[in-house]
Amino acid sequence: MSENKKQKENVFISYVEFIKNGLSKINKNSFPTNMKHRKLKIFLTWFIIFAMVSSLIIGTIGINYIINVAKDSPELNPDDFTAAQSSKIYDAQGNVIANIGLQIRENITYEDLPQNVIDAFVAIEDSRFFEHNGFDIPRFTKAIFENIKTMSFSQGGSTFTMQLVKGTYFETEEATAVRSGLAGVNRKIQEINVALQAEKVISKKEILTFYLNKINYGVPKNRRGIQTAAQFYFGKDISEVGLLEAAVLAGVINAPNLYSPINNLDLSEKRAHTVLDLMVYHGYITKTEAELAKSVPLENLLVGELSTKTTNVTHQAYVDAVVDEVIALTGQDPVLVPMRIYTAMDESLQSKFESIQNGEDPNVLWPNDIIQTAMVTLDNKTGQILAIGGGRFYEGERLFNRVTDMKRQPGSSAKLILTYPLAFEELGWSTVHTIEDKPIRYAGVEDVIIKNFDSVYRGNVTIDYAVGVSLNIPAIETMGAVASKMGNANVVKYLNELGFNTVNTNNFDLGFGIGGSNFTASPLQIAGAYRAMLSKGEYIVPHTVLKIEFIDGSEDIIPEYTTKEVLSEEAAYMTAAMMAQNVSGPYRNFMQILQRGFEVYAKTGTSDWGETGVEYGIPAGSAKDKWMIAGTSEHTTAVWVGYDKADANQISHITQSVSNMNLPGKINNSILNALYQGRSNPTNIVRPSGVVDVTVVRNVFPYVAPSPYANPSLMVTGLIKQEFATLSEANYPIAISQPLAINNGEVVTGQLIGYEPYNGYLMYELISGPSQGNLDIFDPYTGYFQYTHFGNSENDSFTFKVNNGTQSNTATVSIAIKNPNLKE
């Protein structure tokens, strides 16, 4: 007889025995004593028999399915439950920077456990542990009913044995196994099957001990196990813990980061009190004992390393990023599976990051203990992550790593990875293309007007100037032109290829052009995108891991990261040129601190609270995030400074005085010093042959080349992709418009501009308008005019002609009202 057939017969016989035993219990004593009617007893007897036989038939149908699924269960090996040895993480120089696993886990035996610890865990996690056979049917059935709508098994029902099996064979703490649908059902069947097998060969005491040695108690530095937790939280061995301490340990494992007393003392204490109440309910302790334990403030028991809460764990933010990356690459947690992990971490640079965050760098002075930061540096050639600063006071394992996990609006830093690069690429614009800086309504929203950081509108400006002083309106206008040419879907595709994987056609809008609206990104994503701008437009996924070796002899993993061209080398170079002139140009934009004897490329960004922070006492429009991305031909660094969240009880916005401290600039400056201390200076980015200089008539597009006799003040010179550099010569006069942005009812003066190819004489003639105001003065010889608005909140315009005696050209002057009744 085959093993499969024998297994089926055994299951079937067991099921028949279950029905038989049920039927054998039906006798005259099975009915209430007052049930005298013989026919009623006969009817009920046959009804019960019918119900149980029906159950047998239905159950039999599922037996084959269950057995077929169960036979694919992992093969049980009791040695698998023993805590594994240490995984080691190495830096780029081959030095060990972290041990995670057995090296930081001290296993105990069942005899080391006080009874109150055993009772606490059993009461909260598995109340019938010492009675069931690894599968608690009543508890599991309750969980089934609670999850029936979603077909999910996430609401409990697992015994200690099942949890041990799940954590050993099916998932790690971070890499969750499938829990829904048919696959979730199959996984649960196999989990139960292995748990039932385990209970036959491993004692209850061993199972509980394995479990308690293996799980996470929220202790930092990648440490696991109940002995380590007792020592960390209470400064004592597990054999010495008291009743409340036992309840804390039992309570924390359900959500280690949430219930850890170092992360949330109040929640931890409430959870411990719940454990005590359950211990009373199950009869392990008296109500008086529980109340006595509850009367002890939890903070009075916390000792050991808690006093080091404000001291950063060395290299922990980088280690956390490595662990996350290894899990993504392998599906296995290096805390549980022993590995040797080789990384790109530059220990010297990582130490510099941590000294900055810890307030040990004399050049970076933090204004308070609330302000936060994140910083990351990439190697431009490889995309490797050299150092990570996850935040100030980063002092625990798997914390909120602001470099990888935080998503914030990038503000104006989006302009040189999205807006202008695509204009250079797709629209054929030069770096001196002219854009109107005037009030514009945002994306069809009638009562919102886009403004610049200083609420000033500057008329016609060139791109290099708009970038240098970080104007918003030209960027929005550019984004609109790009989206109109490419289509939103192609813009979204471009962003996805640059690493912004949450952007889609449903959440994209023109606000992305200034890093606002729904556009949020992590510092690592921003760094990765800017690295592409400094690396010929080629994107590569930022990464820490170079090689993974499995100690059990499994095949090594060497991740392969290939570059992908998302932007032409020419457009990328023009973008880098804009970044270089941010640092070296005639602007006051906080980036001048980066000037060196070699080219440094940089861009800043700011996002504000708008009016969303007013309820927390934050002044409307106050800054929320400050960014600065700085790089060379060899490295790219992204720095963020800001506050984690709005809080009415503490500082939550960047004041003007803090802004003036230029923290992102000073941090980048220290990082640049560290990168090139004792090293040769980097070379400048090489200009590709496909980028050429172009001189054109100002404010005119399509571009026209000036005649040799033209007024040089009307000419601008910049960079353009060679394919767009074929120009026609302007041998006729051109009327050049200058948009105005005025206050309602204002009187303004100005001068019309005309281009004359031979630098000859021009006459100005009014053709039409205005309609919402008067031209009090219009001089046909000089173009000088004076305009008075009626004060009716309406925009206005007028059209004029220039004439050189033989040819003429017209243009319109638009007059936009900065309406105080509209939101800005």
Side-chain angles (χ1 to χ4, degrees):
M1 182 182 297
S2 69
E3 186 65 27
N4 188 41
K5 184 175 181 182
K6 183 177 179 181
Q7 189 177 13
K8 289 182 180 180
E9 287 192 1
N10 289 338
V11 174
F12 183 79
I13 292 171
S14 298
Y15 203 79
V16 171
E17 286 296 321
F18 170 75
I19 299 298
K20 181 179 178 182
N21 290 338
L23 291 174
S24 68
K25 295 178 182 179
I26 301 177
N27 53 51
K28 64 181 180 179
N29 296 322
S30 301
F31 303 100
T33 55
N34 60 352
M35 190 178 290
K36 304 296 184 179
H37 201 288
R38 180 173 176 274
K39 290 184 177 181
L40 180 58
K41 289 183 179 181
I42 293 173
F43 171 77
L44 290 175
T45 299
W46 280 105
F47 178 80
I48 293 172
I49 292 172
F50 173 78
M52 298 189 74
V53 170
S54 298
S55 174
L56 173 62
I57 294 171
I58 294 171
T60 302
I61 294 173
I63 288 175
N64 282 336
Y65 180 78
I66 293 172
I67 290 176
N68 286 333
V69 172
K71 72 180 182 181
D72 292 328
S73 300
E75 183 177 350
L76 174 69
N77 181 354
D79 292 338
D80 293 338
F81 300 134
T82 303
Q85 59 178 307
S86 170
S87 284
K88 289 181 172 60
I89 300 178
Y90 301 84
D91 66 13
Q93 289 72 44
N95 301 312
V96 176
I97 59 173
N99 283 287
I100 52 177
L102 183 61
Q103 196 72 22
I104 48 176
R105 182 200 317 268
E106 185 177 348
N107 291 336
I108 50 91
T109 66
Y110 187 83
E111 287 67 31
D112 296 320
L113 296 171
Q115 191 61 44
N116 57 20
V117 171
I118 298 169
D119 295 342
F121 277 87
V122 170
I124 188 70
E125 289 289 324
D126 190 354
S127 61
R128 284 180 286 272
F129 172 67
F130 289 102
E131 301 168 14
H132 61 63
N133 62 348
F135 179 41
D136 189 347
I137 295 177
R139 186 164 181 247
F140 187 79
T141 303
K142 180 182 177 182
I144 287 288
F145 280 110
E146 290 176 352
N147 293 287
I148 195 69
K149 291 183 179 180
T150 60
M151 286 294 289
S152 171
F153 291 94
S154 61
Q155 295 300 314
S158 292
T159 63
F160 284 141
T161 315
M162 292 168 63
Q163 291 181 57
L164 180 63
V165 166
K166 179 176 67 175
T168 302
Y169 293 114
F170 294 97
E171 69 178 30
T172 66
E173 294 162 8
E174 291 79 11
T176 304
V178 62
R179 295 189 177 194
S180 60
L182 186 59
V185 173
N186 292 346
R187 195 268 299 173
K188 184 61 68 173
I189 290 172
Q190 293 176 354
E191 183 183 305
I192 294 169
N193 180 48
V194 179
L196 293 173
Q197 295 178 44
E199 291 264 351
K200 294 177 182 178
V201 295
I202 306 173
S203 70
K204 290 284 187 181
K205 293 181 179 180
E206 289 175 315
I207 290 171
L208 183 59
T209 305
F210 285 146
Y211 178 74
L212 297 182
N213 278 334
K214 199 176 186 89
I215 55 177
N216 183 1
Y217 295 83
V219 180
K221 304 179 185 176
N222 301 314
R223 289 174 285 188
R224 296 289 189 270
I226 195 166
Q227 172 72 347
T228 301
Q231 292 172 340
F232 178 80
Y233 291 127
F234 312 119
K236 58 179 69 173
D237 291 337
I238 189 61
S239 60
E240 301 170 331
V241 300
L243 183 54
L244 179 59
E245 294 162 336
V248 170
L249 294 173
V252 76
I253 64 172
N254 182 258
N257 287 332
L258 181 65
Y259 291 129
S260 167
I262 66 170
N263 292 341
N264 197 319
L265 183 64
D266 291 339
L267 277 182
S268 181
E269 190 168 56
K270 289 177 182 177
R271 177 72 173 171
H273 289 180
T274 299
V275 175
L276 293 170
D277 290 338
L278 286 171
M279 293 178 74
V280 173
Y281 175 79
H282 291 293
Y284 295 127
I285 59 175
T286 66
K287 189 172 183 179
T288 300
E289 289 174 314
E291 293 303 321
L292 182 61
K294 289 179 183 180
S295 69
V296 178
L298 177 54
E299 59 265 33
N300 291 356
L301 302 177
L302 299 175
V303 291
E305 297 187 28
L306 288 179
S307 61
T308 67
K309 186 173 190 292
T310 59
T311 301
N312 287 15
V313 175
T314 303
H315 310 336
Q316 189 63 54
Y318 197 96
V319 170
D320 285 352
V322 170
V323 172
D324 285 341
E325 193 173 316
V326 168
I327 290 171
L329 288 169
T330 69
Q332 300 181 81
D333 186 348
V335 172
L336 304 174
V337 178
M339 309 173 187
R340 286 184 287 269
I341 305 162
Y342 300 90
T343 77
M345 194 192 88
D346 183 316
E347 199 281 333
S348 177
L349 186 62
Q350 182 68 30
S351 295
K352 167 55 72 173
F353 276 32
E354 289 161 18
S355 73
I356 292 172
Q357 293 180 158
N358 293 343
E360 298 164 358
D361 187 326
N363 298 310
V364 182
L365 303 179
W366 298 103
N368 54 60
D369 285 340
I370 308 300
I371 197 166
Q372 268 296 348
T373 189
M375 55 193 82
V376 58
T377 295
L378 307 181
D379 181 295
N380 286 352
K381 183 178 180 180
T382 62
Q384 294 167 2
I385 302 172
L386 303 183
I388 289 176
R392 300 178 69 205
F393 314 120
Y394 197 101
E395 56 75 40
E397 167 205 6
R398 313 306 297 281
L399 297 182
F400 181 62
N401 191 330
R402 292 168 184 82
V403 166
T404 57
D405 301 335
M406 178 186 72
K407 297 291 183 69
R408 293 295 184 101
Q409 289 181 327
S412 291
S413 67
K415 296 172 184 175
L416 286 183
I417 52 177
L418 168 61
T419 314
Y420 295 117
L422 290 182
F424 300 147
E425 182 88 312
E426 301 292 337
L427 304 180
W429 287 7
S430 73
T431 57
V432 289
H433 184 85
T434 301
I435 312 169
E436 292 186 8
D437 181 30
K438 63 181 181 180
I440 58 173
R441 300 181 189 274
Y442 173 55
V445 181
E446 293 186 357
D447 63 344
V448 177
I449 287 183
I450 297 295
K451 65 178 181 179
N452 294 315
F453 68 95
D454 55 3
S455 298
V456 174
Y457 305 98
R458 294 165 174 80
N460 284 342
V461 297
T462 55
I463 285 180
D464 55 355
Y465 177 83
V467 171
V469 297
S470 202
L471 299 180
N472 286 335
I473 292 160
I476 283 284
E477 296 278 50
T478 302
M479 190 73 256
V482 166
S484 178
K485 173 70 182 298
M486 295 180 62
N488 286 2
N490 285 325
V491 177
V492 168
K493 179 183 177 184
Y494 167 81
L495 286 169
N496 292 160
E497 291 178 341
L498 265 186
F500 301 104
N501 50 20
T502 60
V503 180
N504 55 61
T505 53
N506 293 324
N507 60 28
F508 171 80
D509 59 37
L510 297 186
F512 278 50
I514 57 174
S517 191
N518 298 308
F519 193 10
T520 59
S522 71
L524 184 58
Q525 288 175 312
I526 294 294
Y530 266 96
R531 189 213 67 84
M533 300 302 113
L534 302 180
S535 305
K536 302 181 179 181
E538 296 176 343
Y539 178 78
I540 187 170
V541 176
H543 53 283
T544 63
V545 176
L546 306 181
K547 181 180 180 181
I548 302 171
E549 295 176 348
F550 294 93
I551 295 177
D552 67 2
S554 300
E555 186 176 354
D556 296 346
I557 293 179
I558 301 176
E560 293 185 5
Y561 296 95
T562 57
T563 58
K564 177 180 177 61
E565 182 181 303
V566 296
L567 192 72
S568 71
E569 182 180 359
E570 291 77 15
Y573 176 83
M574 293 168 66
T575 302
M578 295 296 92
M579 295 175 67
Q581 62 107 40
N582 282 342
V583 177
S584 59
Y587 310 111
R588 296 180 61 188
N589 54 22
F590 292 115
M591 289 175 270
Q592 285 66 54
I593 192 175
L594 305 177
Q595 290 182 2
R596 297 290 196 280
F598 51 87
E599 276 194 351
V600 177
Y601 310 86
K603 183 69 184 82
T604 56
T606 302
S607 71
D608 63 51
W609 284 104
E611 297 189 7
T612 61
V614 173
E615 63 179 297
Y616 300 97
I618 299 173
S622 296
K624 176 173 60 173
D625 305 293
K626 285 283 187 182
W627 297 82
M628 185 182 289
I629 299 87
T632 66
S633 60
E634 298 176 344
H635 301 100
T636 301
T637 297
V639 172
W640 167 86
V641 172
Y643 293 92
D644 285 336
K645 62 181 180 179
D647 190 329
N649 298 315
Q650 66 181 31
I651 299 171
S652 302
H653 69 283
I654 299 172
T655 63
Q656 188 58 52
S657 62
V658 172
S659 181
N660 291 340
M661 293 176 68
N662 192 17
L663 288 170
K666 290 178 179 177
I667 293 170
N668 267 301
N669 191 52
S670 279
I671 292 172
L672 275 173
N673 289 340
L675 280 169
Y676 292 102
Q677 184 176 13
R679 291 182 53 190
S680 58
N681 292 342
T683 59
N684 298 340
I685 296 174
V686 177
R687 174 167 160 173
S689 59
V691 173
V692 296
D693 295 311
V694 62
T695 299
V696 298
V697 177
R698 182 190 299 272
N699 300 354
V700 177
F701 188 78
Y703 303 129
V704 292
S707 74
Y709 311 101
N711 183 350
S713 68
L714 296 180
M715 310 303 134
V716 288
T717 300
L719 303 176
I720 195 170
K721 290 182 69 176
Q722 189 173 37
E723 63 187 275
F724 300 115
T726 302
L727 309 176
S728 60
E729 184 175 312
N731 54 9
Y732 56 89
I734 299 175
I736 300 175
S737 64
Q738 280 280 35
L740 299 176
I742 67 173
N743 294 317
N744 193 21
E746 186 178 358
V747 178
V748 295
T749 60
Q751 188 166 15
L752 303 176
I753 302 175
Y755 165 80
E756 212 292 307
Y758 305 108
N759 202 19
Y761 190 80
L762 282 178
M763 291 289 291
Y764 297 86
E765 178 184 350
L766 181 64
I767 300 300
S768 65
S771 61
Q772 309 302 322
N774 289 324
L775 276 173
D776 308 313
I777 300 174
F778 188 94
D779 188 335
Y781 300 103
T782 64
Y784 178 84
F785 68 89
Q786 178 177 296
Y787 169 84
T788 302
H789 187 257
F790 289 156
N792 57 4
S793 299
E794 295 293 329
N795 293 337
D796 205 356
S797 65
F798 64 89
T799 301
F800 70 98
K801 176 192 291 186
V802 294
N803 192 315
N804 66 357
T806 59
Q807 294 176 301
S808 64
N809 186 260
T810 60
T812 298
V813 176
S814 61
I815 304 170
I817 305 303
K818 298 185 288 186
N819 195 325
N821 297 320
L822 297 182
K823 298 177 183 177
E824 289 193 301

